[in-house]
Coordinates of all heavy atoms in Angstrom, one line a residue:
D251 N 57.5 -19.3 -1.6 CA 56.2 -20.1 -1.6 C 55.7 -20.4 -2.9 O 54.6 -21.1 -3.0 CB 55.2 -19.3 -0.8 CG 55.0 -17.9 -1.4 OD1 55.8 -17.4 -2.2 OD2 53.9 -17.2 -1.0
Q252 N 56.3 -20.0 -4.0 CA 55.9 -20.4 -5.3 C 57.0 -21.0 -6.1 O 57.4 -20.5 -7.2 CB 55.3 -19.1 -6.0 CG 54.0 -18.7 -5.4 CD 53.3 -17.6 -6.2 OE1 53.8 -17.1 -7.2 NE2 52.0 -17.3 -5.9
Q253 N 57.6 -22.0 -5.6 CA 58.7 -22.7 -6.2 C 58.3 -24.2 -6.4 O 58.3 -24.9 -5.4 CB 60.0 -22.5 -5.4 CG 60.4 -21.1 -5.3 CD 61.7 -20.9 -4.5 OE1 62.2 -21.8 -3.9 NE2 62.3 -19.7 -4.6
Y254 N 58.1 -24.6 -7.6 CA 57.7 -25.9 -7.9 C 58.7 -26.5 -8.9 O 58.8 -26.0 -10.0 CB 56.3 -25.9 -8.6 CG 55.2 -25.3 -7.7 CD1 54.9 -24.0 -7.7 CD2 54.5 -26.1 -6.8 CE1 53.9 -23.4 -6.9 CE2 53.5 -25.6 -6.0 CZ 53.2 -24.3 -6.1 OH 52.2 -23.7 -5.3
F255 N 59.3 -27.6 -8.4 CA 60.3 -28.3 -9.3 C 60.0 -29.7 -9.3 O 59.8 -30.4 -8.3 CB 61.7 -28.0 -8.7 CG 62.8 -28.4 -9.7 CD1 63.4 -27.5 -10.6 CD2 63.3 -29.7 -9.8 CE1 64.3 -27.8 -11.5 CE2 64.3 -30.1 -10.7 CZ 64.8 -29.1 -11.6
Y256 N 60.0 -30.3 -10.6 CA 59.6 -31.7 -10.8 C 60.7 -32.4 -11.5 O 61.3 -31.9 -12.5 CB 58.3 -31.8 -11.6 CG 57.2 -31.0 -11.0 CD1 57.0 -29.6 -11.2 CD2 56.2 -31.7 -10.2 CE1 55.9 -28.9 -10.6 CE2 55.2 -31.0 -9.6 CZ 55.0 -29.6 -9.8 OH 54.0 -29.0 -9.2
V257 N 61.0 -33.6 -11.1 CA 62.0 -34.5 -11.8 C 61.2 -35.7 -12.3 O 60.6 -36.5 -11.5 CB 63.1 -34.9 -10.8 CG1 64.0 -35.9 -11.5 CG2 63.9 -33.7 -10.3
N258 N 61.1 -35.8 -13.6 CA 60.4 -36.9 -14.2 C 58.9 -37.0 -13.7 O 58.4 -38.0 -13.4 CB 61.1 -38.3 -14.0 CG 62.4 -38.4 -14.8 OD1 62.6 -37.5 -15.7 ND2 63.2 -39.3 -14.5
G259 N 58.3 -35.8 -13.5 CA 56.9 -35.7 -13.1 C 56.7 -35.7 -11.6 O 55.6 -35.6 -11.1
R260 N 57.8 -35.9 -10.8 CA 57.7 -36.0 -9.4 C 58.2 -34.7 -8.7 O 59.3 -34.3 -9.0 CB 58.5 -37.2 -8.9 CG 58.5 -37.5 -7.4 CD 59.6 -38.5 -7.0 NE 59.5 -39.7 -7.8 CZ 58.7 -40.7 -7.5 NH1 57.9 -40.7 -6.5 NH2 58.8 -41.8 -8.3
Q261 N 57.4 -34.1 -7.9 CA 57.8 -32.9 -7.2 C 58.8 -33.3 -6.1 O 58.6 -34.2 -5.3 CB 56.7 -32.1 -6.6 CG 57.1 -30.8 -6.0 CD 56.0 -30.0 -5.3 OE1 55.0 -30.5 -5.0 NE2 56.3 -28.7 -5.1
V262 N 60.0 -32.6 -6.1 CA 61.0 -32.9 -5.2 C 61.6 -31.7 -4.5 O 61.4 -30.6 -5.1 CB 62.2 -33.7 -5.9 CG1 61.7 -35.0 -6.5 CG2 62.8 -32.8 -6.9
R263 N 62.3 -31.9 -3.4 CA 63.1 -30.9 -2.8 C 64.5 -31.4 -2.9 O 64.8 -32.5 -2.4 CB 62.7 -30.6 -1.3 CG 61.3 -30.1 -1.2 CD 61.1 -29.7 0.3 NE 61.2 -30.8 1.2 CZ 60.2 -31.5 1.7 NH1 59.0 -31.3 1.3 NH2 60.4 -32.5 2.5
D264 N 65.4 -30.6 -3.5 CA 66.8 -31.1 -3.6 C 67.8 -30.0 -3.5 O 67.6 -28.9 -4.1 CB 67.0 -31.8 -5.0 CG 68.3 -32.4 -5.2 OD1 68.6 -33.4 -4.7 OD2 69.2 -31.7 -5.9
R265 N 68.8 -30.1 -2.7 CA 69.8 -29.0 -2.5 C 70.6 -28.7 -3.8 O 71.0 -27.5 -3.9 CB 70.7 -29.4 -1.3 CG 71.6 -30.6 -1.5 CD 72.3 -30.9 -0.2 NE 73.2 -32.1 -0.4 CZ 74.4 -32.1 -0.8 NH1 74.9 -30.9 -1.2 NH2 75.1 -33.2 -0.9
V266 N 70.8 -29.7 -4.6 CA 71.5 -29.4 -5.9 C 70.7 -28.5 -6.7 O 71.2 -27.5 -7.3 CB 71.9 -30.7 -6.6 CG1 72.4 -30.4 -8.0 CG2 72.9 -31.5 -5.8
V267 N 69.4 -28.8 -6.9 CA 68.5 -28.0 -7.6 C 68.4 -26.6 -7.0 O 68.5 -25.6 -7.7 CB 67.1 -28.6 -7.7 CG1 66.1 -27.7 -8.3 CG2 67.2 -29.9 -8.5
A268 N 68.2 -26.5 -5.7 CA 68.0 -25.2 -5.0 C 69.2 -24.3 -5.2 O 69.1 -23.1 -5.5 CB 67.7 -25.4 -3.6
H269 N 70.4 -24.9 -5.1 CA 71.6 -24.2 -5.3 C 71.8 -23.7 -6.7 O 72.2 -22.5 -6.9 CB 72.8 -25.1 -4.9 CG 74.1 -24.4 -4.8 ND1 75.0 -24.3 -5.8 CD2 74.7 -23.6 -3.8 CE1 76.1 -23.6 -5.5 NE2 75.9 -23.2 -4.3
A270 N 71.5 -24.5 -7.7 CA 71.6 -24.1 -9.1 C 70.7 -22.9 -9.4 O 71.1 -21.9 -10.0 CB 71.4 -25.2 -10.0
V271 N 69.4 -23.0 -8.9 CA 68.5 -21.9 -9.2 C 68.9 -20.6 -8.5 O 68.8 -19.5 -9.0 CB 67.1 -22.4 -8.7 CG1 66.1 -21.2 -8.9 CG2 66.6 -23.5 -9.6
R272 N 69.3 -20.8 -7.2 CA 69.8 -19.6 -6.5 C 70.9 -18.9 -7.1 O 71.0 -17.7 -7.2 CB 70.1 -20.0 -5.0 CG 70.4 -18.8 -4.1 CD 70.4 -19.3 -2.7 NE 71.5 -20.3 -2.4 CZ 71.2 -21.6 -2.1 NH1 70.0 -22.0 -2.1 NH2 72.2 -22.4 -1.9
Q273 N 71.9 -19.7 -7.7 CA 73.0 -19.1 -8.3 C 72.6 -18.4 -9.6 O 73.1 -17.4 -10.0 CB 74.1 -20.1 -8.6 CG 74.9 -20.5 -7.4 CD 76.1 -21.2 -7.7 OE1 76.2 -21.9 -8.7 NE2 77.2 -21.0 -6.9
A274 N 71.6 -19.0 -10.4 CA 71.2 -18.4 -11.6 C 70.6 -17.0 -11.4 O 70.7 -16.2 -12.3 CB 70.2 -19.3 -12.3
Y275 N 69.9 -16.8 -10.3 CA 69.3 -15.6 -9.9 C 70.2 -14.6 -9.1 O 69.8 -13.5 -8.8 CB 68.0 -15.8 -9.2 CG 66.8 -16.1 -10.0 CD1 66.5 -17.4 -10.3 CD2 66.0 -15.1 -10.5 CE1 65.3 -17.7 -11.1 CE2 64.8 -15.4 -11.2 CZ 64.5 -16.7 -11.5 OH 63.4 -17.0 -12.3
A276 N 71.4 -15.1 -8.7 CA 72.2 -14.4 -7.7 C 72.5 -12.9 -8.2 O 72.6 -12.1 -7.3 CB 73.5 -15.1 -7.5
D277 N 72.6 -12.7 -9.5 CA 73.0 -11.4 -10.0 C 71.9 -10.4 -10.2 O 72.1 -9.3 -10.6 CB 73.8 -11.6 -11.3 CG 74.9 -10.6 -11.5 OD1 75.2 -9.9 -10.5 OD2 75.4 -10.4 -12.6
V278 N 70.7 -10.9 -10.0 CA 69.5 -10.0 -10.3 C 68.5 -9.9 -9.3 O 67.5 -9.1 -9.5 CB 68.9 -10.6 -11.6 CG1 69.8 -10.4 -12.8 CG2 68.5 -12.0 -11.4
L279 N 68.6 -10.6 -8.2 CA 67.5 -10.5 -7.1 C 67.9 -9.5 -6.1 O 69.0 -9.4 -5.6 CB 67.4 -11.9 -6.5 CG 66.5 -12.9 -7.2 CD1 66.3 -14.1 -6.3 CD2 65.2 -12.3 -7.6
F280 N 66.8 -8.8 -5.6 CA 67.0 -7.9 -4.5 C 67.2 -8.8 -3.2 O 66.7 -9.9 -3.1 CB 65.7 -7.1 -4.3 CG 65.8 -5.9 -3.4 CD1 66.6 -4.8 -3.7 CD2 65.2 -5.9 -2.2 CE1 66.7 -3.7 -2.8 CE2 65.3 -4.8 -1.3 CZ 66.1 -3.7 -1.6
H281 N 68.0 -8.2 -2.3 CA 68.3 -9.0 -1.1 C 67.1 -9.5 -0.4 O 66.1 -8.8 -0.1 CB 69.1 -8.1 -0.1 CG 69.6 -8.8 1.1 ND1 70.5 -9.8 1.2 CD2 69.1 -8.7 2.4 CE1 70.6 -10.2 2.4 NE2 69.8 -9.5 3.2
G282 N 67.1 -10.8 -0.1 CA 66.1 -11.5 0.7 C 64.9 -11.8 -0.1 O 63.9 -12.3 0.4
R283 N 64.9 -11.6 -1.4 CA 63.8 -12.0 -2.3 C 64.0 -13.4 -2.9 O 65.1 -13.9 -3.0 CB 63.6 -11.0 -3.4 CG 63.5 -9.5 -2.9 CD 62.1 -9.3 -2.2 NE 61.0 -9.3 -3.1 CZ 59.7 -9.0 -2.8 NH1 59.5 -8.8 -1.5 NH2 58.8 -9.0 -3.6
H284 N 62.9 -14.0 -3.3 CA 62.9 -15.4 -3.9 C 62.1 -15.4 -5.2 O 61.0 -14.9 -5.3 CB 62.3 -16.3 -2.9 CG 62.9 -16.3 -1.5 ND1 63.9 -17.1 -1.1 CD2 62.6 -15.5 -0.4 CE1 64.3 -16.8 0.1 NE2 63.5 -15.9 0.6
P285 N 62.7 -16.1 -6.2 CA 62.0 -16.2 -7.5 C 60.8 -17.2 -7.4 O 60.8 -18.1 -6.6 CB 63.1 -16.7 -8.4 CG 64.0 -17.5 -7.5 CD 64.0 -16.8 -6.2
A286 N 59.9 -17.0 -8.3 CA 58.8 -18.0 -8.5 C 59.1 -18.8 -9.7 O 59.6 -18.2 -10.7 CB 57.5 -17.3 -8.6
Y287 N 58.8 -20.1 -9.7 CA 59.0 -20.9 -10.9 C 58.3 -22.2 -10.9 O 57.9 -22.7 -9.8 CB 60.5 -21.2 -11.1 CG 61.2 -21.8 -9.9 CD1 61.1 -23.2 -9.7 CD2 62.0 -21.1 -9.1 CE1 61.8 -23.8 -8.6 CE2 62.6 -21.6 -8.0 CZ 62.5 -23.0 -7.7 OH 63.2 -23.6 -6.7
V288 N 58.0 -22.7 -12.1 CA 57.4 -24.0 -12.3 C 58.3 -24.7 -13.3 O 58.3 -24.3 -14.5 CB 56.0 -23.9 -12.8 CG1 55.4 -25.4 -13.0 CG2 55.1 -23.2 -11.8
L289 N 59.1 -25.6 -12.9 CA 60.1 -26.2 -13.8 C 60.0 -27.7 -13.8 O 59.8 -28.3 -12.7 CB 61.5 -25.8 -13.4 CG 61.9 -24.3 -13.6 CD1 63.2 -24.0 -12.9 CD2 61.9 -24.0 -15.1
F290 N 60.2 -28.3 -15.0 CA 60.2 -29.8 -15.1 C 61.5 -30.3 -15.7 O 61.8 -29.9 -16.8 CB 59.0 -30.1 -16.0 CG 57.7 -29.6 -15.6 CD1 57.2 -28.4 -16.0 CD2 56.9 -30.4 -14.7 CE1 56.0 -27.9 -15.5 CE2 55.7 -29.9 -14.2 CZ 55.2 -28.6 -14.7
L291 N 62.2 -31.1 -15.0 CA 63.4 -31.7 -15.4 C 63.1 -33.1 -15.8 O 62.6 -33.9 -15.0 CB 64.5 -31.6 -14.4 CG 65.8 -32.3 -14.7 CD1 66.5 -31.5 -15.8 CD2 66.7 -32.4 -13.5
E292 N 63.5 -33.5 -17.1 CA 63.4 -34.9 -17.5 C 64.8 -35.4 -17.8 O 65.6 -34.8 -18.4 CB 62.5 -34.9 -18.8 CG 61.1 -34.4 -18.7 CD 60.3 -35.3 -17.8 OE1 60.5 -36.5 -17.8 OE2 59.3 -34.8 -17.2
L293 N 65.0 -36.7 -17.3 CA 66.2 -37.4 -17.6 C 66.0 -38.9 -17.5 O 64.9 -39.3 -17.0 CB 67.3 -36.9 -16.6 CG 67.2 -37.4 -15.1 CD1 68.6 -37.2 -14.5 CD2 66.2 -36.6 -14.3
D294 N 67.0 -39.6 -17.9 CA 66.9 -41.1 -17.9 C 66.6 -41.5 -16.4 O 67.3 -41.1 -15.5 CB 68.2 -41.7 -18.4 CG 68.1 -43.2 -18.5 OD1 67.4 -43.9 -17.7 OD2 68.6 -43.7 -19.5
P295 N 65.6 -42.4 -16.2 CA 65.3 -42.8 -14.8 C 66.5 -43.4 -14.1 O 66.6 -43.3 -12.9 CB 64.2 -43.8 -15.0 CG 63.5 -43.4 -16.2 CD 64.6 -42.9 -17.1
E296 N 67.4 -44.0 -14.8 CA 68.6 -44.5 -14.2 C 69.6 -43.5 -13.7 O 70.5 -43.7 -12.9 CB 69.4 -45.4 -15.2 CG 68.7 -46.7 -15.5 CD 69.6 -47.7 -16.3 OE1 70.7 -47.2 -16.7 OE2 69.2 -48.8 -16.5
G297 N 69.4 -42.2 -14.1 CA 70.2 -41.1 -13.7 C 69.8 -40.5 -12.4 O 70.4 -39.5 -11.9
V298 N 68.7 -41.0 -11.8 CA 68.2 -40.4 -10.6 C 67.6 -41.5 -9.6 O 66.9 -42.4 -10.1 CB 67.1 -39.3 -10.9 CG1 65.9 -39.9 -11.6 CG2 66.6 -38.7 -9.6
D299 N 68.0 -41.4 -8.4 CA 67.5 -42.4 -7.4 C 66.4 -41.7 -6.6 O 66.6 -40.8 -5.9 CB 68.7 -42.7 -6.5 CG 68.3 -43.8 -5.5 OD1 67.2 -44.3 -5.5 OD2 69.2 -44.2 -4.7
V300 N 65.2 -42.3 -6.8 CA 64.0 -41.7 -6.1 C 63.7 -42.5 -4.8 O 62.7 -42.2 -4.2 CB 62.8 -41.8 -7.1 CG1 63.0 -40.9 -8.3 CG2 62.4 -43.2 -7.5

Side-chain angles (χ1 to χ4, degrees):
D251 57 343
Q252 291 191 351
Q253 297 183 345
Y254 300 90
F255 194 91
Y256 303 84
V257 176
N258 291 347
R260 182 193 307 276
Q261 188 180 16
V262 300
R263 299 189 299 262
D264 182 78
R265 61 187 180 87
V266 171
V267 169
H269 188 264
V271 174
R272 188 167 60 250
Q273 284 196 328
Y275 276 91
D277 211 15
V278 291
L279 278 188
F280 194 70
H281 179 69
R283 306 290 287 182
H284 304 271
Y287 53 80
V288 180
L289 291 171
F290 303 90
L291 177 66
E292 299 290 332
L293 73 162
D294 190 320
E296 288 190 355
V298 58
D299 185 359
V300 299

